[in-house]
Structures are given as structure tokens and as C-alpha cells.
mmCIF file of all heavy atoms in Angstrom:
data_model
loop_
_atom_site.group_PDB
_atom_site.id
_atom_site.type_symbol
_atom_site.label_atom_id
_atom_site.label_comp_id
_atom_site.label_asym_id
_atom_site.label_seq_id
_atom_site.Cartn_x
_atom_site.Cartn_y
_atom_site.Cartn_z
ATOM 1 N N THR Y 1 -97.682 -70.386 19.097
ATOM 2 C CA THR Y 1 -96.295 -70.936 19.187
ATOM 3 C C THR Y 1 -95.380 -70.178 18.176
ATOM 4 O O THR Y 1 -94.284 -69.750 18.442
ATOM 5 C CB THR Y 1 -96.242 -72.406 18.970
ATOM 6 O OG1 THR Y 1 -97.040 -73.074 19.965
ATOM 7 C CG2 THR Y 1 -94.808 -72.926 19.011
ATOM 8 N N TYR Y 2 -95.943 -70.071 16.944
ATOM 9 C CA TYR Y 2 -95.147 -69.382 15.866
ATOM 10 C C TYR Y 2 -94.961 -67.867 16.302
ATOM 11 O O TYR Y 2 -93.755 -67.366 16.275
ATOM 12 C CB TYR Y 2 -95.998 -69.369 14.598
ATOM 13 C CG TYR Y 2 -95.672 -68.259 13.569
ATOM 14 C CD1 TYR Y 2 -94.495 -68.311 12.802
ATOM 15 C CD2 TYR Y 2 -96.490 -67.161 13.412
ATOM 16 C CE1 TYR Y 2 -94.207 -67.307 11.980
ATOM 17 C CE2 TYR Y 2 -96.212 -66.157 12.596
ATOM 18 C CZ TYR Y 2 -95.061 -66.218 11.849
ATOM 19 O OH TYR Y 2 -94.746 -65.242 10.976
ATOM 20 N N PHE Y 3 -96.019 -67.229 16.812
ATOM 21 C CA PHE Y 3 -95.864 -65.836 17.251
ATOM 22 C C PHE Y 3 -94.944 -65.698 18.423
ATOM 23 O O PHE Y 3 -94.126 -64.733 18.480
ATOM 24 C CB PHE Y 3 -97.304 -65.289 17.614
ATOM 25 C CG PHE Y 3 -97.201 -63.926 18.213
ATOM 26 C CD1 PHE Y 3 -96.878 -62.813 17.397
ATOM 27 C CD2 PHE Y 3 -97.540 -63.720 19.565
ATOM 28 C CE1 PHE Y 3 -96.867 -61.516 17.957
ATOM 29 C CE2 PHE Y 3 -97.518 -62.418 20.099
ATOM 30 C CZ PHE Y 3 -97.154 -61.379 19.277
ATOM 31 N N SER Y 4 -94.950 -66.658 19.313
ATOM 32 C CA SER Y 4 -94.101 -66.621 20.509
ATOM 33 C C SER Y 4 -92.624 -66.596 20.081
ATOM 34 O O SER Y 4 -91.815 -65.828 20.644
ATOM 35 C CB SER Y 4 -94.433 -67.838 21.409
ATOM 36 O OG SER Y 4 -93.514 -67.815 22.548
ATOM 37 N N PHE Y 5 -92.234 -67.552 19.190
ATOM 38 C CA PHE Y 5 -90.819 -67.666 18.765
ATOM 39 C C PHE Y 5 -90.409 -66.452 17.945
ATOM 40 O O PHE Y 5 -89.257 -66.055 18.006
ATOM 41 C CB PHE Y 5 -90.558 -68.975 18.062
ATOM 42 C CG PHE Y 5 -90.469 -70.123 19.048
ATOM 43 C CD1 PHE Y 5 -91.522 -70.961 19.295
ATOM 44 C CD2 PHE Y 5 -89.280 -70.370 19.740
ATOM 45 C CE1 PHE Y 5 -91.397 -72.010 20.140
ATOM 46 C CE2 PHE Y 5 -89.147 -71.379 20.618
ATOM 47 C CZ PHE Y 5 -90.213 -72.231 20.860
ATOM 48 N N VAL Y 6 -91.307 -65.943 17.147
ATOM 49 C CA VAL Y 6 -90.987 -64.750 16.417
ATOM 50 C C VAL Y 6 -90.733 -63.534 17.316
ATOM 51 O O VAL Y 6 -89.819 -62.742 17.135
ATOM 52 C CB VAL Y 6 -92.082 -64.364 15.413
ATOM 53 C CG1 VAL Y 6 -91.939 -62.969 14.870
ATOM 54 C CG2 VAL Y 6 -92.192 -65.349 14.295
ATOM 55 N N THR Y 7 -91.491 -63.484 18.419
ATOM 56 C CA THR Y 7 -91.348 -62.404 19.420
ATOM 57 C C THR Y 7 -90.059 -62.660 20.243
ATOM 58 O O THR Y 7 -89.289 -61.732 20.505
ATOM 59 C CB THR Y 7 -92.520 -62.358 20.351
ATOM 60 O OG1 THR Y 7 -93.699 -62.187 19.582
ATOM 61 C CG2 THR Y 7 -92.422 -61.180 21.375
ATOM 62 N N LEU Y 8 -89.858 -63.901 20.689
ATOM 63 C CA LEU Y 8 -88.697 -64.263 21.493
ATOM 64 C C LEU Y 8 -87.327 -63.969 20.748
ATOM 65 O O LEU Y 8 -86.359 -63.458 21.386
ATOM 66 C CB LEU Y 8 -88.711 -65.732 21.876
ATOM 67 C CG LEU Y 8 -87.649 -66.226 22.858
ATOM 68 C CD1 LEU Y 8 -87.856 -65.539 24.230
ATOM 69 C CD2 LEU Y 8 -87.725 -67.740 23.006
ATOM 70 N N THR Y 9 -87.338 -64.170 19.459
ATOM 71 C CA THR Y 9 -86.123 -63.867 18.665
ATOM 72 C C THR Y 9 -86.103 -62.454 18.179
ATOM 73 O O THR Y 9 -85.178 -62.086 17.432
ATOM 74 C CB THR Y 9 -85.996 -64.873 17.514
ATOM 75 O OG1 THR Y 9 -87.258 -64.738 16.669
ATOM 76 C CG2 THR Y 9 -85.910 -66.288 17.984
ATOM 77 N N THR Y 10 -87.142 -61.669 18.527
ATOM 78 C CA THR Y 10 -87.283 -60.232 18.169
ATOM 79 C C THR Y 10 -87.290 -60.095 16.595
ATOM 80 O O THR Y 10 -86.800 -59.000 16.164
ATOM 81 C CB THR Y 10 -86.165 -59.351 18.825
ATOM 82 O OG1 THR Y 10 -84.928 -59.752 18.278
ATOM 83 C CG2 THR Y 10 -86.159 -59.505 20.319
ATOM 84 N N LEU Y 11 -87.798 -61.022 15.888
ATOM 85 C CA LEU Y 11 -87.949 -60.826 14.445
ATOM 86 C C LEU Y 11 -89.038 -59.882 14.055
ATOM 87 O O LEU Y 11 -88.789 -59.003 13.273
ATOM 88 C CB LEU Y 11 -88.188 -62.188 13.825
ATOM 89 C CG LEU Y 11 -87.044 -63.189 13.713
ATOM 90 C CD1 LEU Y 11 -87.544 -64.541 13.212
ATOM 91 C CD2 LEU Y 11 -85.951 -62.711 12.896
ATOM 92 N N GLY Y 12 -90.249 -60.067 14.688
ATOM 93 C CA GLY Y 12 -91.309 -59.108 14.504
ATOM 94 C C GLY Y 12 -91.764 -58.992 13.071
ATOM 95 O O GLY Y 12 -91.689 -57.954 12.420
ATOM 96 N N TYR Y 13 -92.263 -60.042 12.514
ATOM 97 C CA TYR Y 13 -92.708 -60.007 11.060
ATOM 98 C C TYR Y 13 -93.978 -59.087 10.928
ATOM 99 O O TYR Y 13 -94.137 -58.475 9.900
ATOM 100 C CB TYR Y 13 -93.125 -61.414 10.605
ATOM 101 C CG TYR Y 13 -91.946 -62.322 10.393
ATOM 102 C CD1 TYR Y 13 -91.868 -63.551 10.933
ATOM 103 C CD2 TYR Y 13 -90.899 -61.929 9.586
ATOM 104 C CE1 TYR Y 13 -90.773 -64.383 10.737
ATOM 105 C CE2 TYR Y 13 -89.827 -62.695 9.336
ATOM 106 C CZ TYR Y 13 -89.743 -63.982 9.952
ATOM 107 O OH TYR Y 13 -88.667 -64.764 9.694
ATOM 108 N N GLY Y 14 -94.793 -58.978 11.881
ATOM 109 C CA GLY Y 14 -95.990 -58.134 11.841
ATOM 110 C C GLY Y 14 -97.231 -58.734 11.398
ATOM 111 O O GLY Y 14 -98.283 -58.065 11.312
ATOM 112 N N ASP Y 15 -97.228 -60.018 11.005
ATOM 113 C CA ASP Y 15 -98.514 -60.648 10.557
ATOM 114 C C ASP Y 15 -99.400 -60.919 11.706
ATOM 115 O O ASP Y 15 -100.587 -61.014 11.555
ATOM 116 C CB ASP Y 15 -98.159 -61.956 9.814
ATOM 117 C CG ASP Y 15 -97.187 -62.836 10.591
ATOM 118 O OD1 ASP Y 15 -96.568 -62.366 11.523
ATOM 119 O OD2 ASP Y 15 -97.094 -64.049 10.257
ATOM 120 N N ILE Y 16 -98.806 -61.056 12.944
ATOM 121 C CA ILE Y 16 -99.600 -61.133 14.151
ATOM 122 C C ILE Y 16 -99.077 -60.117 15.105
ATOM 123 O O ILE Y 16 -97.840 -59.942 15.285
ATOM 124 C CB ILE Y 16 -99.445 -62.542 14.784
ATOM 125 C CG1 ILE Y 16 -99.959 -63.558 13.804
ATOM 126 C CG2 ILE Y 16 -100.243 -62.645 16.054
ATOM 127 C CD1 ILE Y 16 -99.730 -65.023 14.308
ATOM 128 N N SER Y 17 -99.989 -59.403 15.775
ATOM 129 C CA SER Y 17 -99.533 -58.339 16.657
ATOM 130 C C SER Y 17 -100.553 -58.255 17.895
ATOM 131 O O SER Y 17 -101.701 -58.655 17.747
ATOM 132 C CB SER Y 17 -99.479 -56.990 15.938
ATOM 133 O OG SER Y 17 -100.758 -56.675 15.437
ATOM 134 N N PRO Y 18 -100.033 -57.738 19.028
ATOM 135 C CA PRO Y 18 -100.904 -57.643 20.178
ATOM 136 C C PRO Y 18 -101.977 -56.515 19.964
ATOM 137 O O PRO Y 18 -101.657 -55.499 19.422
ATOM 138 C CB PRO Y 18 -99.925 -57.244 21.301
ATOM 139 C CG PRO Y 18 -98.797 -56.607 20.593
ATOM 140 C CD PRO Y 18 -98.652 -57.332 19.295
ATOM 141 N N ALA Y 19 -103.153 -56.817 20.465
ATOM 142 C CA ALA Y 19 -104.250 -55.895 20.331
ATOM 143 C C ALA Y 19 -104.998 -55.623 21.676
ATOM 144 O O ALA Y 19 -106.012 -54.927 21.665
ATOM 145 C CB ALA Y 19 -105.252 -56.379 19.256
ATOM 146 N N ARG Y 20 -104.463 -56.118 22.744
ATOM 147 C CA ARG Y 20 -105.045 -55.940 24.043
ATOM 148 C C ARG Y 20 -103.927 -55.569 25.046
ATOM 149 O O ARG Y 20 -102.766 -56.010 24.837
ATOM 150 C CB ARG Y 20 -105.781 -57.175 24.533
ATOM 151 C CG ARG Y 20 -107.105 -57.392 23.894
ATOM 152 C CD ARG Y 20 -108.231 -56.659 24.625
ATOM 153 N NE ARG Y 20 -109.553 -56.933 24.090
ATOM 154 C CZ ARG Y 20 -110.666 -56.680 24.754
ATOM 155 N NH1 ARG Y 20 -110.645 -56.014 25.948
ATOM 156 N NH2 ARG Y 20 -111.848 -56.852 24.261
ATOM 157 N N PRO Y 21 -104.220 -54.867 26.065
ATOM 158 C CA PRO Y 21 -103.156 -54.463 27.079
ATOM 159 C C PRO Y 21 -102.396 -55.730 27.643
ATOM 160 O O PRO Y 21 -101.157 -55.675 27.739
ATOM 161 C CB PRO Y 21 -103.874 -53.735 28.147
ATOM 162 C CG PRO Y 21 -105.036 -53.105 27.446
ATOM 163 C CD PRO Y 21 -105.469 -54.156 26.381
ATOM 164 N N MET Y 22 -103.124 -56.782 27.958
ATOM 165 C CA MET Y 22 -102.485 -57.933 28.497
ATOM 166 C C MET Y 22 -101.528 -58.622 27.538
ATOM 167 O O MET Y 22 -100.397 -59.000 27.892
ATOM 168 C CB MET Y 22 -103.488 -58.958 29.045
ATOM 169 C CG MET Y 22 -102.936 -60.181 29.700
ATOM 170 S SD MET Y 22 -101.830 -59.743 31.129
ATOM 171 C CE MET Y 22 -103.060 -59.142 32.287
ATOM 172 N N SER Y 23 -101.951 -58.713 26.319
ATOM 173 C CA SER Y 23 -101.116 -59.310 25.332
ATOM 174 C C SER Y 23 -99.926 -58.406 25.001
ATOM 175 O O SER Y 23 -98.781 -58.952 24.711
ATOM 176 C CB SER Y 23 -101.899 -59.608 24.025
ATOM 177 O OG SER Y 23 -102.476 -58.435 23.505
ATOM 178 N N GLU Y 24 -100.047 -57.069 25.095
ATOM 179 C CA GLU Y 24 -98.949 -56.220 24.872
ATOM 180 C C GLU Y 24 -97.880 -56.403 25.996
ATOM 181 O O GLU Y 24 -96.726 -56.348 25.727
ATOM 182 C CB GLU Y 24 -99.419 -54.754 24.864
ATOM 183 C CG GLU Y 24 -100.271 -54.412 23.644
ATOM 184 C CD GLU Y 24 -100.857 -53.005 23.688
ATOM 185 O OE1 GLU Y 24 -100.678 -52.394 24.792
ATOM 186 O OE2 GLU Y 24 -101.419 -52.547 22.709
ATOM 187 N N VAL Y 25 -98.354 -56.580 27.266
ATOM 188 C CA VAL Y 25 -97.453 -56.759 28.302
ATOM 189 C C VAL Y 25 -96.714 -58.065 28.139
ATOM 190 O O VAL Y 25 -95.426 -58.129 28.369
ATOM 191 C CB VAL Y 25 -98.194 -56.773 29.678
ATOM 192 C CG1 VAL Y 25 -97.316 -57.288 30.777
ATOM 193 C CG2 VAL Y 25 -98.768 -55.362 30.025
ATOM 194 N N LEU Y 26 -97.356 -59.128 27.714
ATOM 195 C CA LEU Y 26 -96.666 -60.398 27.487
ATOM 196 C C LEU Y 26 -95.644 -60.278 26.372
ATOM 197 O O LEU Y 26 -94.497 -60.830 26.477
ATOM 198 C CB LEU Y 26 -97.713 -61.486 27.119
ATOM 199 C CG LEU Y 26 -98.569 -61.968 28.293
ATOM 200 C CD1 LEU Y 26 -99.585 -63.025 27.828
ATOM 201 C CD2 LEU Y 26 -97.741 -62.563 29.457
ATOM 202 N N VAL Y 27 -95.972 -59.543 25.345
ATOM 203 C CA VAL Y 27 -95.049 -59.374 24.229
ATOM 204 C C VAL Y 27 -93.784 -58.641 24.662
ATOM 205 O O VAL Y 27 -92.640 -58.963 24.347
ATOM 206 C CB VAL Y 27 -95.680 -58.618 23.043
ATOM 207 C CG1 VAL Y 27 -94.660 -58.118 22.087
ATOM 208 C CG2 VAL Y 27 -96.703 -59.521 22.379
ATOM 209 N N ILE Y 28 -94.032 -57.563 25.476
ATOM 210 C CA ILE Y 28 -92.857 -56.836 26.023
ATOM 211 C C ILE Y 28 -91.940 -57.667 26.869
ATOM 212 O O ILE Y 28 -90.688 -57.729 26.681
ATOM 213 C CB ILE Y 28 -93.380 -55.611 26.842
ATOM 214 C CG1 ILE Y 28 -94.019 -54.585 25.935
ATOM 215 C CG2 ILE Y 28 -92.184 -54.968 27.578
ATOM 216 C CD1 ILE Y 28 -94.684 -53.469 26.659
ATOM 217 N N LEU Y 29 -92.499 -58.462 27.786
ATOM 218 C CA LEU Y 29 -91.702 -59.305 28.648
ATOM 219 C C LEU Y 29 -91.012 -60.397 27.814
ATOM 220 O O LEU Y 29 -89.852 -60.706 28.133
ATOM 221 C CB LEU Y 29 -92.663 -59.990 29.711
ATOM 222 C CG LEU Y 29 -93.295 -59.026 30.702
ATOM 223 C CD1 LEU Y 29 -94.278 -59.760 31.625
ATOM 224 C CD2 LEU Y 29 -92.237 -58.347 31.546
ATOM 225 N N GLU Y 30 -91.668 -60.952 26.824
ATOM 226 C CA GLU Y 30 -90.999 -61.998 26.089
ATOM 227 C C GLU Y 30 -89.846 -61.395 25.219
ATOM 228 O O GLU Y 30 -88.790 -62.018 25.099
ATOM 229 C CB GLU Y 30 -91.951 -62.745 25.166
ATOM 230 C CG GLU Y 30 -91.314 -63.887 24.450
ATOM 231 C CD GLU Y 30 -92.301 -64.714 23.639
ATOM 232 O OE1 GLU Y 30 -93.432 -64.218 23.331
ATOM 233 O OE2 GLU Y 30 -91.969 -65.863 23.299
ATOM 234 N N ALA Y 31 -90.052 -60.231 24.654
ATOM 235 C CA ALA Y 31 -89.030 -59.617 23.891
ATOM 236 C C ALA Y 31 -87.772 -59.289 24.749
ATOM 237 O O ALA Y 31 -86.653 -59.491 24.280
ATOM 238 C CB ALA Y 31 -89.542 -58.324 23.192
ATOM 239 N N ILE Y 32 -88.001 -58.783 25.969
ATOM 240 C CA ILE Y 32 -86.948 -58.484 26.817
ATOM 241 C C ILE Y 32 -86.183 -59.790 27.218
ATOM 242 O O ILE Y 32 -84.950 -59.848 27.157
ATOM 243 C CB ILE Y 32 -87.408 -57.800 28.107
ATOM 244 C CG1 ILE Y 32 -87.993 -56.428 27.783
ATOM 245 C CG2 ILE Y 32 -86.356 -57.734 29.185
ATOM 246 C CD1 ILE Y 32 -88.693 -55.743 28.949
ATOM 247 N N THR Y 33 -86.939 -60.868 27.496
ATOM 248 C CA THR Y 33 -86.338 -62.166 27.791
ATOM 249 C C THR Y 33 -85.454 -62.629 26.615
ATOM 250 O O THR Y 33 -84.362 -63.113 26.820
ATOM 251 C CB THR Y 33 -87.389 -63.183 28.102
ATOM 252 O OG1 THR Y 33 -88.187 -62.725 29.218
ATOM 253 C CG2 THR Y 33 -86.780 -64.538 28.429
ATOM 254 N N GLY Y 34 -85.999 -62.504 25.450
ATOM 255 C CA GLY Y 34 -85.250 -62.985 24.240
ATOM 256 C C GLY Y 34 -84.021 -62.152 24.012
ATOM 257 O O GLY Y 34 -82.953 -62.749 23.652
ATOM 258 N N MET Y 35 -84.022 -60.841 24.284
ATOM 259 C CA MET Y 35 -82.827 -60.059 24.124
ATOM 260 C C MET Y 35 -81.707 -60.411 25.092
ATOM 261 O O MET Y 35 -80.526 -60.426 24.774
ATOM 262 C CB MET Y 35 -83.218 -58.566 24.250
ATOM 263 C CG MET Y 35 -84.086 -58.047 23.104
ATOM 264 S SD MET Y 35 -84.547 -56.322 23.296
ATOM 265 C CE MET Y 35 -82.937 -55.521 23.274
ATOM 266 N N PHE Y 36 -82.127 -60.626 26.342
ATOM 267 C CA PHE Y 36 -81.105 -60.880 27.371
ATOM 268 C C PHE Y 36 -80.758 -62.330 27.585
ATOM 269 O O PHE Y 36 -79.817 -62.614 28.264
ATOM 270 C CB PHE Y 36 -81.605 -60.231 28.778
ATOM 271 C CG PHE Y 36 -81.530 -58.767 28.819
ATOM 272 C CD1 PHE Y 36 -82.622 -57.958 28.511
ATOM 273 C CD2 PHE Y 36 -80.368 -58.154 29.223
ATOM 274 C CE1 PHE Y 36 -82.541 -56.603 28.547
ATOM 275 C CE2 PHE Y 36 -80.266 -56.744 29.336
ATOM 276 C CZ PHE Y 36 -81.333 -55.999 28.910
ATOM 277 N N TYR Y 37 -81.527 -63.199 26.975
ATOM 278 C CA TYR Y 37 -81.261 -64.631 27.175
ATOM 279 C C TYR Y 37 -79.829 -64.967 26.742
ATOM 280 O O TYR Y 37 -79.085 -65.669 27.477
ATOM 281 C CB TYR Y 37 -82.236 -65.512 26.401
ATOM 282 C CG TYR Y 37 -81.960 -66.961 26.568
ATOM 283 C CD1 TYR Y 37 -82.467 -67.687 27.628
ATOM 284 C CD2 TYR Y 37 -81.225 -67.675 25.605
ATOM 285 C CE1 TYR Y 37 -82.181 -69.034 27.797
ATOM 286 C CE2 TYR Y 37 -80.924 -69.006 25.745
ATOM 287 C CZ TYR Y 37 -81.435 -69.696 26.812
ATOM 288 O OH TYR Y 37 -81.185 -71.045 26.951
#
């Protein structure tokens, strides 16, 4: 939940990061959603 809101708001602290292709795709989609919301 913490990581999700950090990604949604595009803060990107870096303490948690995607390490698998599926998690990378989810991060990309959430970041795009946060930017355009």
C-alpha cells in the first residue's frame, strides 16, 4: 500500500522497486494513471 501510493503520486523514493517483469508492468501502468488522473 505504501509502495502503491508512492508510485501513484510518482514520488519514487527508491526504497522499494520492481524486480520482476510483471511488477514492472504494474508500476508503469500505475505511474501513468497517477500522472493523468
